Amino acid sequence: MKNNKIFSILICTAVLVLVGCDSFLDEAPETFRTPQNFFETEDQINEAIAGIYNTNRGLMNGAHWRFGENRSDNTSFQFNPADRGGINNEEVDLFLMLSANPNLRDYWNASYSGISRSNFALENIANVTFNDNAVKQARRGEILFLRSWFYFNLVQLFGDVPYVTSAGDTPDEILSDEFLARIPVGQVYANIMADLQEAIGSLPTLGNTESGRATQGAALMLKAKMHMALQEFQAAEALLQQLQGQGYALQADYASIFAPDNKNNNEMVFEIQYSFALGQASNFVSRFVPFNSGVDILGDSGPAGSRAGQNQPTQNLIDLYDADDARFSHNISFYDNGTTIEPWMSKFNYGFEDQGLQDVNFPMFRYADALLMLAECYNETGGGDPQPLLLQVRGRSMPDPSLSAAETSDLGQTIADERRRELAFENHRWFDLLRTGKAVEVMTAHGAAQKAQKPTVPAEAYTNIRTILGIPLGQVEEFDFTQNEGW
């Protein structure tokens, strides 16, 4: 069997690397286990689930921000003429990717790695005795939530995808049409909606589980996001209203939301866990500082690498903020080396523990996001007034959060703009553009602005704004998938 099969390698050699975080993932890993000898005890199921969380962490730290943020009008990259080895990453931003781009392969493989691990755990958990059956149901809910998250991203980015719920017992089964057939988007959504409904009924609420584990609130929010992607705003509205009663709240100070000493606070509906002390540090900020900043930002942990300067804020995003908006000063900084001034994404910069390493978690779902989603639903359905929700989010960061006449006259655009200000660099923007049907329009205008501002942007950039990614070339060649149109 070849190494790029979407499931087989993981099925045959699944080594579960544990995530370092609070309590439930702080346990010694087994050296090696196979499907035949792994799932015998509650502790081993917990190790298996830790492996799924770890896969999600790798996805969020790796390819996800390139497609959720860097592919949007929020960010671009700092062009380094002395290092052209990162051109595959630049092509994501410039809409110049080919299906052989390794970022496509990495996203696909990481997602199906998480799905494969989820399937193994789901197939085996029924046969394992737990001390408390409620805990067993919660663990099953966690697995369903995580698998649903992987599939939700895949279906938004790639369209029709293989939807597999079995681990597969033999190589023949793994290579069967059932495993490798791409199924329609609508069927994928229907399947994951059913899984999430079960997860909602199985998962505990906020405060009733260990930090870092998925809660009922996380499943409610993910299901609401799916309904919104399908333009089913009334269904999403009901889920978000349910979420409102689960104990989540905005932090008083915007900068405190992401601080290392405030991890897993009650604004975080679901948070990617990192721990420097446990050898699982975060390192994303070191890639986002200007490449020519040397040790000026990173200090003793520097100097900045030649392929830093990623996820650089665009002028369009900078201009969207008021100067006195606390989110502006926290999210975006400016580096002046005496020759140029480079904006950079400083949202998660809370200092370094070691060379390029931090002890900072990453937000996947936040309560502020939920409030803005509910505002969007109210604006679409008329089921409530979106303005108090907007003011609640803005009021934390702006001295005068009141809406102007222009903003009240087009609340849809106002909500979209507020999502950009509040959630910048949290990997939501591209998916928001897809959901609202504005991706081509916005990115065409963004491309024109980039070309006007940056002489290094090639003429062919942004001329083919494809809203669906290509199936990775290696998958097409090995499994004879039909390639998406235009790829």
Side-chain angles (χ1 to χ4, degrees):
M1 295 187 290
K2 299 181 182 179
N3 287 343
N4 60 345
K5 287 184 170 62
I6 55 177
F7 302 106
S8 55
I9 281 295
L10 292 162
I11 288 170
C12 294
T13 61
V15 179
L16 300 181
V17 181
L18 301 186
V19 185
C21 72
D22 297 348
S23 60
F24 85 96
L25 295 178
D26 182 13
E27 51 190 65
E30 298 291 335
T31 54
F32 181 83
R33 294 186 185 274
T34 68
Q36 289 72 34
N37 69 8
F38 189 82
F39 304 96
E40 298 173 354
T41 69
E42 182 176 341
D43 286 344
Q44 290 166 357
I45 288 292
N46 279 326
E47 289 183 32
I49 295 172
I52 307 169
Y53 280 99
N54 183 65
T55 303
N56 185 48
R57 189 187 64 168
L59 178 68
M60 297 295 286
N61 192 45
H64 191 70
W65 65 267
R66 296 195 185 280
F67 294 110
E69 199 75 40
N70 197 213
R71 191 168 169 81
S72 79
D73 57 335
N74 273 2
T75 69
S76 184
F77 61 92
Q78 184 187 11
F79 183 82
N80 186 354
D83 186 347
R84 307 308 307 131
I87 193 169
N88 287 323
N89 299 329
E90 296 173 3
E91 287 172 348
V92 176
D93 175 74
L94 298 170
F95 285 79
L96 293 175
M97 279 193 302
L98 301 176
S99 62
N101 189 292
N103 288 292
L104 290 175
R105 176 202 63 208
D106 292 348
Y107 201 100
W108 182 277
N109 288 349
S111 298
Y112 278 109
S113 169
I115 290 165
S116 175
R117 291 180 173 198
S118 300
N119 290 341
F120 268 127
L122 285 169
E123 286 195 355
N124 284 271
I125 193 172
N127 301 319
V128 175
T129 300
F130 277 62
N131 292 327
D132 183 341
N133 193 59
V135 173
K136 182 175 183 177
Q137 292 306 308
R139 297 294 173 264
R140 178 175 167 82
E142 287 178 71
I143 301 166
L144 289 171
F145 165 77
L146 289 165
R147 187 176 71 179
S148 297
W149 168 246
F150 295 129
Y151 272 127
F152 180 47
N153 292 325
L154 285 168
V155 75
Q156 290 181 100
L157 292 173
F158 295 96
D160 300 349
V161 293
Y163 189 89
V164 182
T165 58
S166 170
D169 296 323
T170 67
D172 286 342
E173 183 181 354
I174 291 164
L175 296 177
S176 68
D177 289 343
E178 179 183 359
F179 268 70
L180 297 178
R182 296 174 64 192
I183 68 170
V185 166
Q187 188 178 344
V188 176
Y189 272 106
N191 290 343
I192 53 183
M193 288 284 195
D195 281 349
L196 276 178
Q197 193 59 43
E198 180 181 343
I200 289 168
S202 301
L203 288 168
T205 54
L206 179 68
N208 293 308
T209 189
E210 297 158 290
S211 293
R213 288 194 183 275
T215 61
Q216 184 181 97
L220 286 168
M221 195 161 173
L222 179 55
K223 195 164 188 278
K225 284 182 177 289
M226 292 183 186
H227 281 299
M228 291 180 72
L230 294 169
Q231 307 297 298
E232 297 169 352
F233 293 102
Q234 284 187 327
E237 183 179 298
L239 295 166
L240 293 166
Q241 288 172 335
Q242 185 178 346
L243 179 69
Q244 279 187 301
Q246 297 214 337
Y248 298 100
L250 298 181
Q251 296 289 289
D253 174 62
Y254 187 78
S256 72
I257 302 169
F258 320 99
D261 60 359
N262 195 29
K263 290 182 177 181
N264 301 301
N265 58 70
N266 65 345
E267 182 166 341
M268 293 297 190
V269 180
F270 189 74
E271 187 170 351
I272 308 298
Q273 304 293 307
Y274 292 88
S275 172
F276 177 80
L278 294 174
Q280 300 288 350
S282 47
N283 65 357
F284 30 86
V285 170
S286 62
R287 286 177 283 173
F288 301 150
V289 300
F291 71 80
N292 58 345
S293 60
V295 297
D296 291 348
I297 298 171
L298 297 180
D300 292 339
S301 72
S306 64
R307 292 184 195 171
Q310 302 293 304
N311 237 14
Q312 184 179 48
T314 61
Q315 189 61 48
N316 179 263
L317 177 62
I318 292 168
D319 293 342
L320 192 64
Y321 285 100
D322 289 344
D324 58 0
D325 190 329
R327 296 170 297 189
F328 179 37
S329 57
H330 181 75
N331 289 346
I332 301 173
S333 294
F334 297 86
Y335 173 70
D336 184 355
N337 69 353
T339 303
T340 60
I341 299 176
E342 297 288 346
W344 65 281
M345 188 271 273
S346 56
K347 186 168 197 168
F348 305 107
N349 182 28
Y350 291 87
F352 295 85
E353 304 291 332
D354 202 344
Q355 189 166 357
L357 302 179
Q358 294 184 292
D359 192 36
V360 179
N361 284 355
F362 192 92
M364 196 168 96
F365 296 156
R366 256 199 307 131
Y367 188 57
D369 181 10
L371 292 177
L372 293 172
M373 288 165 60
L374 185 56
E376 186 175 336
C377 289
Y378 283 162
N379 192 54
E380 294 287 341
T381 68
D385 185 355
Q387 295 191 48
L389 298 171
L390 275 167
L391 294 175
Q392 186 178 348
V393 174
R394 289 162 69 118
R396 170 171 61 187
S397 302
M398 299 176 67
D400 179 10
S402 60
L403 301 175
S404 67
E407 287 177 317
T408 56
S409 68
D410 188 355
L411 282 174
Q413 185 61 51
T414 300
I415 294 166
D417 288 345
E418 204 60 40
R419 288 185 62 81
R420 287 187 76 189
R421 296 185 190 99
E422 177 70 25
L423 303 172
F425 318 122
E426 296 179 41
N427 305 329
H428 297 287
R429 177 58 175 171
W430 174 251
F431 299 105
D432 285 352
L433 292 174
L434 289 179
R435 185 184 73 254
T436 56
K438 294 184 176 180
V440 174
E441 172 192 346
V442 168
M443 295 310 297
T444 298
H446 166 72
Q450 289 292 97
K451 289 176 181 179
Q453 294 163 11
K454 298 180 177 181
T456 56
V457 176
E460 63 272 21
Y462 305 106
T463 58
N464 186 11
I465 309 296
R466 294 170 288 190
T467 57
I468 295 295
L469 299 178
I471 304 300
L473 179 62
Q475 297 293 318
V476 173
E477 291 179 337
E478 182 156 3
F479 301 115
D480 200 28
F481 286 128
T482 301
Q483 183 58 276
N484 286 329
E485 184 177 354
W487 289 88

